[in-house]
Amino acid sequence: MNRPLPPSMHDDVALRQLHAQAMDTLSPTTLARLRSARHGASPAKRHAPSWWMATACSAVVALALGYSFLLGESTAPPAPVVASAADDGSDVLDENPDLYVWLGSTDLAME
Amino acid sequence: MDADLPAPADAALPVSLDAFLAGIGPRAFRFAEAGLRQREDALDAVQDSMLKMLGYRDKPAAEWAPLFWSILRRRVVDLQRRRGFRLKFWRSSDEAGGDHDIDWADHAPGPAQAHEQRDQYAQLVQALRELPARQREAFTLRVLQDLDGATTAKAMGCSEGAVKTHLSRARQALQQSLEIAL
């Protein structure tokens, strides 16, 4: 089978005709990719702002967490209960039945 | 030689950047296809160039064409370098299998005519891929894309004289390459 003769490299008109034919014969897949590339480059369809929004939300959450953590640390610890001279200790135990519940739930009381 | 070239195709200015990109897409793909050996690489180069053009949408429409071709030209060179590195160190079996054939969907009236056109264009692209980058760029932009001398020079980042030199060498090399291939 004979190969077709290529156009002369000095015949610009024939070369451009061949190139024009080549542009008319792009496959549908390639044309679809080119369309999506163009739409991707469209300013209205760019999604860059959503990344900024996500970054900003993450920063706000992180700041809120940090601030609440600092607040928790800075508040003064509750003042220790200072037993007064009138307290004899048994009152504390009487007022705190959880101790007996705990004792009852363990084997310590039986030892 | 260049004196008998007709008026450039980019004479009519596009009304918007979107219209400009719509018109230039297939031409840009054929340009990238002649420089790169993989269809996906060529499509990536075109897409990246279109995205980059967004940064220049405030420029006058007359400047879009040289800017776009300049961006695409550099992107093709980048991808060629990256691909050369990939081939050297991580050459996979499918990459070693050879160049991508040209993208071609037959719309010609007869199968014989379609086959002939496809074969002619494939020979031309194959010969273009063998050229040094600057010669290929000069020939593709000046002759196939039909840009005028000044626009081609801007896109290539050189003088019009240098474009003429590259173009003349490209014609000689292509003619020899195609004669040998016959």
Side-chain angles (χ1 to χ4, degrees):
Chain A
M1 199 170 97
N2 292 332
R3 295 187 78 179
L5 287 172
S8 162
M9 288 306 115
H10 299 279
D11 185 356
D12 290 341
V13 176
L15 285 165
R16 280 185 198 123
Q17 275 177 357
L18 183 61
H19 188 249
Q21 284 160 358
M23 282 191 294
D24 287 340
T25 52
L26 285 175
S27 68
T29 320
T30 301
L31 288 172
R33 276 286 308 272
L34 289 172
R35 257 196 308 276
S36 70
R38 182 161 53 86
H39 290 155
S42 166
K45 300 199 176 177
R46 296 195 77 198
H47 298 298
S50 62
W51 285 106
W52 283 108
M53 186 64 80
T55 311
C57 285
S58 307
V60 166
V61 168
L63 280 173
L65 283 173
Y67 184 66
S68 64
F69 181 72
L70 285 175
L71 264 184
E73 270 192 346
S74 66
T75 52
V81 177
V82 179
S84 65
D87 292 338
D88 59 358
S90 60
D91 288 344
V92 175
L93 291 175
D94 286 342
E95 287 168 16
N96 196 359
D98 287 345
L99 174 66
Y100 298 103
V101 173
W102 175 74
L103 274 174
S105 68
T106 60
D107 292 334
L108 280 172
M110 304 302 290
E111 287 174 3
Chain B
M1 184 71 58
D2 294 340
D4 55 355
L5 289 173
D10 289 335
L13 293 177
V15 290
S16 67
L17 184 62
D18 193 50
F20 169 76
L21 294 177
I24 213 162
R27 299 166 61 195
F29 173 74
R30 286 300 189 198
F31 175 85
E33 185 188 45
L36 298 164
R37 290 158 194 257
Q38 298 290 322
R39 178 175 162 275
E40 287 305 311
D41 285 351
L43 283 167
D44 285 348
V46 174
Q47 180 163 10
D48 292 348
S49 306
M50 286 182 170
L51 281 171
K52 247 190 178 165
M53 273 304 289
L54 286 180
Y56 298 104
R57 63 175 175 271
D58 295 330
K59 293 249 180 196
E63 292 181 23
W64 288 343
L67 267 171
F68 180 81
W69 289 115
S70 170
I71 292 167
L72 181 61
R73 186 184 66 75
R74 275 177 284 170
R75 190 76 192 110
V76 167
V77 170
D78 283 350
L79 284 169
Q80 277 171 338
R81 282 191 193 136
R82 230 181 266 179
R83 183 170 163 70
F85 186 75
R86 220 163 57 200
L87 281 172
K88 221 178 265 180
F89 293 98
W90 296 293
R91 188 170 189 158
S92 64
S93 55
D94 58 322
E95 281 176 329
D99 296 350
H100 141 75
D101 204 6
I102 55 165
D103 187 272
W104 195 276
D106 291 336
H107 302 302
Q113 189 190 348
H115 181 76
E116 189 174 325
Q117 287 172 355
R118 186 192 187 289
D119 213 24
Q120 277 187 338
Y121 188 70
Q123 283 180 60
L124 177 62
V125 169
Q126 199 56 44
L128 280 169
R129 284 175 178 166
E130 303 300 322
L131 286 183
R134 299 299 272 170
Q135 291 182 23
R136 182 180 56 247
E137 288 163 7
F139 185 85
T140 315
L141 293 175
R142 188 77 182 90
V143 177
L144 300 183
Q145 304 291 347
D146 202 7
L147 301 186
D148 60 33
T151 309
T152 308
K154 264 190 197 173
M156 289 181 62
C158 61
S159 68
E160 288 190 54
V163 171
K164 282 182 184 171
T165 307
H166 289 310
L167 182 57
S168 167
R169 288 179 185 161
R171 283 186 204 274
Q172 283 176 6
L174 284 171
Q175 195 69 51
Q176 282 173 5
S177 168
L178 290 172
E179 280 168 5
I180 289 168
L182 283 175

